[in-house]
Amino acid sequence: MTISSLHRTLEQELTALLRGASLECLACGEFVMHARGGSVFCPECGSQLGDEGALESGVECTVQAG
């Protein structure tokens, strides 16, 4: 697997998570919750993901190791 194919795979997974097509946390595998403003977070490990609109509105995008 090359770095570019790994990048495409990760980008596809992140896009699916933001669209709601995937409900699984990429860090720990637990179910994620979708919040207002387009952000996604995992209540188990604390990972958060937001699209550009969510980031502009002040939702922070961070990932924490459990």
Side-chain angles (χ1 to χ4, degrees):
M1 177 181 287
T2 65
I3 290 179
S4 61
S5 64
L6 177 63
H7 176 268
R8 275 195 301 271
T9 303
L10 179 58
E11 185 177 16
Q12 290 168 349
E13 289 293 325
L14 292 172
T15 302
L17 200 62
L18 285 173
R19 279 192 341 221
S22 174
L23 300 175
E24 187 176 289
C25 176
L26 297 176
C28 71
E30 293 296 322
F31 287 109
V32 295
M33 299 183 76
H34 291 262
R36 292 182 187 171
S39 67
V40 177
F41 68 95
C42 176
E44 184 68 28
C45 71
S47 296
Q48 296 181 356
L49 175 67
D51 62 9
E52 291 177 11
L55 295 175
E56 289 171 2
S57 67
V59 175
E60 189 175 327
C61 181
T62 60
V63 175
Q64 275 185 322

